[in-house]
Structures are given as C-alpha cells and as structure tokens.
Amino acid sequence: MNILNNTFNTPFNTAPFSKIKNEDYLPAFKTAIEKAKAEIDAITSTKEGPNFENTIEALDYSGQELSRISSIFFNLNSAETNDDIQKIAQEVSPLLSEFSNDITLNEELFKKVKAVYDIKSELDLTTEQKTLLDKKYKGFSRNGANLKGEDKEKLRAIDRELSQLKLKFGEHILAETNNFEMHITDETDLSGLPDGAKEAAKQLAESKEKDGWLITLDYPSYIPFMTYADNRNLREKLSKAFGSKGFKNDDLDNQDNVLRIAELRYQRAQLLGYKTHAHFVLEERMAETPEKVNAFLHQLLEKAKPAALKEFKTLEDFAKDLDGIDNLQKWDSAYYSEKLKQKLFSLDDEQLKPYFKLENVINGAFTVAEKLFGLQFEEIDTIDKYHEDVMTYKVVDTEGNLVSIFYADFFPRAGKRNGAWMTSYKSQMIKNGENDRPHVSIVCNFTKPTKSKPSLLTFNEVTTLFHEFGHALHGMLANTIYPSLSGTNVYWDFVELPSQILENWCYEEETLKLFATHYETGELIPMELIEKIKASATFNEGMQTLRQLSFGMLDMAWHANESPETITSVKSHETKAFGETQLYPDVEENCMSTAFAHIFQGGYSSGYYSYKWAEVLDADAFEYFKEEGIFNKTVADKFKIFVLSQGGTENPMTLYKKFRGQEPKPEALLKRAGLLK
C-alpha cells in the first residue's frame, strides 16, 4: 500500500515527508483520483432525490485524499524541488486538470447540483450553506457545465495545455535563477557591500569550491548587491541578468509561453460566454469588473504620479550631485534611494539589522499573535520535515486546545523558488462533529546565518515575515464547516487583508519593544531608530505605489485584452502597458512579463490589483486598531470572529462591515502613504 494513500499514522496526522519516495507520487495520485471518482459516482448514482446533504455537502467533502497528496507534492515542487519532481509535475498536472474537468463537465452531477440550486429559496439553509451552494453551482456553470459536446472537449484541451504551460513557465524561471552566477575575485568589486553580505557571498563560493565571492539572483544575494555595491557596471550586469529571465530567445525563453497562456485564457473565457479572461475572473472578486479595476488603479495613479515624479527628480538630482550621474538607470534605483534615505533620515538597514535577529522576529510575531488572538506557539521536533532548515510548531489556544500545526521555512536553496508565500498541507473543516485542525506553512528566502553572524533581517524582511505570518493566521484560525470555504479560500482581493494589516504592527513602538533587541548586547532598539523607521515609512512612497500600479496595469493589459491573438511581441505589448507609469529609461534586453510568475504561474491573473485593493482595506482596518489601541482585545476579537475565522462563508464586504461597522475609505491608505496631506 502506498504511504500516500493511507491515513498517515503520524503525530497530528502530519505529512510523513521522510517516508515518501518520489516514485510514490504518480501511483498515489492515480489511486486518489480513482477514489475521488468513486465518491462522485456515489453522489450521482444515489436513488435518493438530490438534497443539500447528499449532493452539495457530499461534493465538498469528496476528494480529501487527493487534496492532501496534491498539497504535499505541489508545495514541495515550490520549496524543495528537483528534476524528478518537476518531471512528475508535468505528468500529474494534465491528470488533475482532466479529473477537474471530469467533475465540472459531469452532466449527471451538474443536474443534481442544479436541482438543489433551483429550490434554494425553499431550503432552510445557514449563511455558510447558502454560500457553499452558490459556489458549487457557479463552479460548474463557470467551468463549462452548460457547454455542449464539442465545446466541452475544447475546454478540456485548453485546460490540459494551460496546466502544462504554467509549469513550464515556472521551471524556466527557476532554472534561469539557478543558472546565473556573478563570480567576483577582486575584493574592490565588493566596495560598499556590508560585511554580512560579503561573508554570505564568500560562503556560497566556498560551498561551490570556488575562490572569491559569488553573487546570485536569489533575493538575499541580489538585493544587498543592488542596494549597496558601488560598482555601477556590476550592478548593471546583475540587474540585466535579473530582468532578462525567460527573455533570451533560448531553451528557457518564456515569450511563446506568455503569448500562448494569454491566448488560451481568452479562448477559455470566450467559450464560457465572457468577454475576456479578466471578466471571467473578476465576476468572483470584490472588484467585480475590469472597468472597476482600471478605474481603481487610475484613481490611485492620479494621486501617486505627481508625488512619484517629484521623488524621481529628487533622486536624479541627488545622484548627479553625488556621483555626476547624468542618466539615472534601473540599476541605480535601490543604490541611490538607500544613499538618499541615509542622508535624509540617518538610517540604513545595516544599522537596523542587528536588532532583527530572525529568531527574535519570529518570537515577536508569535507574541503579537498571543496578545491579539490568545495563541501560543511551541516548537516541536516530533513531526517530519521536508528539509532540515524547516522549523515546526504546535499552536494552541488559551485552553490548550490544538489550533494548528505550523511549518516555517526561511532560507534560500537550489530547489526553492524565489519570494515568500504561505501555503497549507491540510485544510480545516468540521465533519461528523469533529473540528479537524489545519496544517499551515510559510516559506521565505532570508539571509542564512554565517560562521560569524546569525540570520539578521533587513526591515523589509521583517515586514515580509509579518505579512506571510498574517496569511498563516488566516489559515490557522479558520473555523468553518466546509473545507472549500475555510481559511484563505476567500475572494482573491480579500485574501491580502490579514497579511497586509499585520505589517502595520512592525512600525509601532509598542510592538518593536517586544522583540527588537541587539543580537550581541541584548539592548532594546533605541527610540530614535524607531522614530526614524516611522519617519522613513513614506520615503519614495509615490514611486513605490507607481511600481505596484504598473504591475496591476500590465496584468490587466494581458487579461482584459479583447484580441490577445493579435499580440506578436511580448516586449512591445508590455512597454505600451507601462506607458503611464514609466520613470526609468527602458532596458531593451529586459522584459518583466516573461518572469511575472504571479500572473503566469501563480493565481494572480487579473488579480494583481488586489494588493493595492487590500491595502485600502488594511489601512482602514488598522486605523480602527489605532483608535482603540493596537492590542485592544475587543477590536482583535472582532477581527478574529468576522475576518480570520470566517474564511469565504460570506461576501467579504459583508464580513468587513461586521468588523468595521462601515465600508473602507481609500483616504486612510493615501494618508498613511503620505499622498494625502
């Protein structure tokens, strides 16, 4: 019997990582798909007339074994992949896509779902049950259940191809990231680089049996070099390598993948009766339509652009005065911004890092969760991990009841994609009276400890950790009956609220005093540094906002386009989309779309705007905390009850208003960003 097809005989029913062999996956997927099909057959073949329990509820609880195997496998494909796993992913993805279509295009099943949906007004359903019924019905209608014969086959073919293209896109980016190394043998080329970054680069070179120093495209290596290295030519080389991922007309090129993904998504939307992919996606979002998204982005653009142009001019003048730079380029951005920030606020990350030892920041996040939501985190070593770097915790409430199992994976390595994300290995649900608790994970790429220093975080990394931990709390505190409505299974433009609101605590003196102590002396972070962090919080905010808006606009340019088949050049399409937001001269050999994993591999297609959308929510929500006290129990309880524990059981605006008592106002965000005086 395959280990993956058993109920895991492990503590807390956790994933048995060390016992799983790569060759277990494919047969386990096939077995789990067959079991899930049998569960669907049981729903369609029952002689009893369709009702909420035997159709809608049964459907939501079906396929749990398949869900668990998928979460284990695809999480590892992001955090600890290798050639074998990538090859299996290419085989498995079409099978899963096919199975998903087998369900949504199953006429007998849809008939039963529709029969229940058609009498919903006569049923005595709870709010959560009504939401589930709507979601299941739309899940069918939005995925082709109303299509006839030939069109159903077209949809299947599109979905099969899309699942493979998205994987290929991600594999190319990972390979590009791993393939590039800037090997430095002359120490003068490292001028300006902090000692910690130099030591990490030396350690990396040693690990590959090379002299000197290695700089890579992994964030903990790339960002310090772009921010501090005085050698402009090397910054240019590194920046161009980073910006040209998937754009070199070679085996790892993503241009055709991008064009094909955009075209297939459009064809799929048309087949289902939608004008574009964005119209299809946004029907299930708070924003509702591409027109609303574009209006929202342009409303913020109007406020941010004048500030951004002013900030850019200041930066240009500063670089000219300091180093005689006549033409400010993208590879100068982080370098001169950091220098200007130091000049204006006498603050740089190297001053702050000693106060942000990783372990202390983790404890800080845990303390915030304890003060707000009564959670306690205990590190345990009784459960299996997929890599020795992973930390594992048992999370309990004030009564000692299990809330969640929590995994944290903080350092970069070859088999791990860049960036930071939250994910889950097991959903929360209530079945047969038992509240099955979730297993949640956060994955980041922070600087590893070296021989002489622990892992010290930049302030930006501190906010990243709090951000992902906010997502994790959304998963951990889930308390719904049905798995598909649990935790982060919410509208995509609501999912960033719990993560983004938690970042606010990082700027508060009351929070920093809980954990920001010097790793060598134990001294608490000085008040003057806290003041400087707060004062510098809106530094270059106009430019930062413009950058985020440009990504949202690029996303819409790909997905709200009514004729993607006419796009022949990825680069020129992108350049046009960036027209209103461009500050720096274009770099001919760079292209963002070919490495824009959020929208071409992850789940953010037609959804990148939601980061800004959720910022409006989080600024408005945090204003409420500030009015009552940032650790105010009443406000925290309301946030926990109406936002964190409810998942997708109700319309997010309804939940938000239950928490806040009103709709969010964009003024709170503009004020916080310093864009509204």
Side-chain angles (χ1 to χ4, degrees), residues 218-288:
D218 283 323
Y219 287 162
S221 178
Y222 175 77
I223 287 170
F225 199 90
M226 295 307 297
T227 308
Y228 297 105
D230 297 326
N231 188 320
R232 194 180 185 212
N233 291 336
L234 289 182
R235 289 203 313 271
E236 178 180 351
K237 180 182 175 183
L238 192 63
S239 170
K240 284 181 171 174
F242 192 90
S244 62
K245 286 187 284 191
F247 189 62
K248 297 191 187 76
N249 294 309
D250 58 7
D251 289 351
L252 298 175
D253 193 273
N254 267 338
Q255 291 173 85
D256 287 347
N257 292 334
V258 164
L259 292 171
R260 186 70 182 144
I261 289 170
E263 197 177 329
L264 286 171
R265 283 174 173 167
Y266 173 73
Q267 286 175 13
R268 188 180 195 281
Q270 287 268 298
L271 202 54
L272 295 169
Y274 295 85
K275 203 190 277 188
T276 67
H277 178 66
H279 286 86
F280 169 76
V281 168
L282 293 164
E283 184 183 65
E284 293 283 86
R285 300 286 192 265
M286 291 173 85
E288 298 169 336

Side-chain angles (χ1 to χ4, degrees), residues 131 256-257 263 280 299 311 355 454 494 520 573 576:
T131 304
D256 287 347
N257 292 334
E263 197 177 329
F280 169 76
Q299 183 191 0
E311 290 163 4
Y355 296 97
F494 193 61
E520 285 174 317
H573 184 66
K576 192 176 166 201

Side-chain angles (χ1 to χ4, degrees), residues 31-170:
T31 304
I33 286 171
E34 288 313 312
K35 282 187 189 170
K37 279 181 177 170
E39 289 169 342
I40 300 299
D41 289 346
I43 298 169
T44 56
S45 59
T46 177
K47 295 289 175 273
E48 214 185 336
N51 58 40
F52 184 83
E53 285 72 25
N54 71 15
T55 303
I56 308 302
E57 204 169 71
L59 183 55
D60 205 55
Y61 287 132
S62 71
Q64 287 304 313
E65 186 177 295
L66 182 59
S67 292
R68 286 214 72 187
I69 295 170
S70 296
S71 68
I72 291 169
F73 177 76
F74 286 103
N75 283 331
L76 290 185
N77 193 33
S78 290
E80 184 58 10
T81 195
N82 53 45
D83 290 347
D84 286 348
I85 285 182
Q86 290 183 3
K87 191 163 167 286
I88 297 161
Q90 288 288 1
E91 286 184 74
V92 163
S93 291
L95 298 180
L96 292 173
S97 168
E98 195 68 18
F99 169 68
S100 168
N101 281 330
D102 280 345
I103 292 178
T104 50
L105 302 177
N106 181 324
E107 286 176 23
E108 283 309 305
L109 185 58
F110 181 51
K111 256 187 223 162
K112 287 188 176 262
V113 169
K114 191 173 184 315
V116 182
Y117 184 78
D118 287 344
I119 56 160
K120 68 177 180 177
S121 57
E122 300 160 33
L123 304 173
D124 184 21
L125 300 178
T126 65
T127 302
E128 182 173 350
Q129 288 172 327
K130 283 177 193 161
T131 304
L132 185 70
L133 177 54
D134 280 349
K135 186 174 178 170
K136 289 299 172 203
Y137 177 74
K138 278 185 181 168
F140 282 90
S141 62
R142 283 169 54 78
N143 285 292
N146 290 316
L147 295 178
K148 297 292 170 272
E150 195 183 306
D151 284 344
K152 280 191 174 179
E153 284 316 307
K154 268 191 206 165
L155 187 77
R156 281 180 185 272
I158 287 172
D159 285 345
R160 262 197 307 273
E161 192 178 343
L162 272 173
S163 72
Q164 286 181 305
L165 285 170
K166 281 159 63 176
L167 276 174
K168 199 195 284 184
F169 181 96

Side-chain angles (χ1 to χ4, degrees), residues 228 338 342 345-356 518 525-526 528-529 532:
Y228 297 105
E338 183 61 27
Q342 287 176 27
F345 305 102
S346 307
L347 180 73
D348 83 85
D349 266 330
E350 290 308 303
Q351 250 178 305
L352 295 174
K353 277 167 74 173
Y355 296 97
F356 296 127
H518 196 287
I525 190 167
E528 69 194 76
L529 281 183
K532 286 175 182 179

Side-chain angles (χ1 to χ4, degrees), residues 421-585:
W421 61 96
M422 167 268 176
T423 184
S424 135
Y425 284 99
K426 179 170 165 290
S427 301
Q428 178 272 335
M429 64 177 130
I430 298 172
K431 193 177 179 190
N432 303 327
E434 191 182 327
N435 196 329
D436 209 8
R437 299 311 302 165
H439 299 172
V440 170
S441 170
I442 62 173
V443 188
C444 304
N445 280 279
F446 298 146
T447 307
K448 284 189 89 146
T450 61
K451 287 169 192 155
S452 68
K453 280 196 177 91
S455 175
L456 301 175
L457 304 189
T458 64
F459 188 69
N460 192 32
E461 289 175 325
V462 174
T463 58
T464 296
L465 192 151
F466 269 70
H467 178 101
E468 298 309 333
F469 188 63
H471 279 310
L473 290 172
H474 200 183
M476 288 179 209
L477 289 166
N479 199 28
T480 63
I481 294 169
Y482 304 110
S484 73
L485 300 177
S486 177
T488 55
N489 288 313
V490 298
Y491 277 9
W492 210 263
D493 41 12
F494 193 61
V495 81
E496 294 297 333
L497 168 60
S499 55
Q500 288 181 187
I501 194 173
L502 209 69
E503 291 182 38
N504 290 281
W505 271 264
C506 301
Y507 294 90
E508 298 295 319
E509 180 189 345
E510 216 179 320
T511 313
L512 290 168
K513 282 185 166 174
L514 297 171
F515 69 89
T517 55
H518 196 287
Y519 79 100
E520 285 174 317
T521 65
E523 171 212 8
L524 194 63
I525 190 167
M527 246 329 282
E528 69 194 76
L529 281 183
I530 295 179
E531 289 306 324
K532 286 175 182 179
I533 288 173
K534 291 178 102 160
S536 66
T538 58
F539 174 67
N540 280 354
E541 188 59 45
M543 285 167 68
Q544 291 296 343
T545 301
L546 209 64
R547 185 169 178 265
Q548 283 295 98
L549 294 176
S550 75
F551 297 165
M553 287 170 173
L554 178 61
D555 176 22
M556 295 312 283
W558 281 114
H559 295 117
N561 193 310
E562 289 180 49
S563 50
E565 72 285 350
T566 62
I567 305 166
T568 51
S569 161
V570 173
K571 174 74 174 180
S572 52
H573 184 66
E574 173 175 303
T575 307
K576 192 176 166 201
F578 282 154
E580 292 179 277
T581 56
Q582 190 177 339
L583 294 172
Y584 291 93

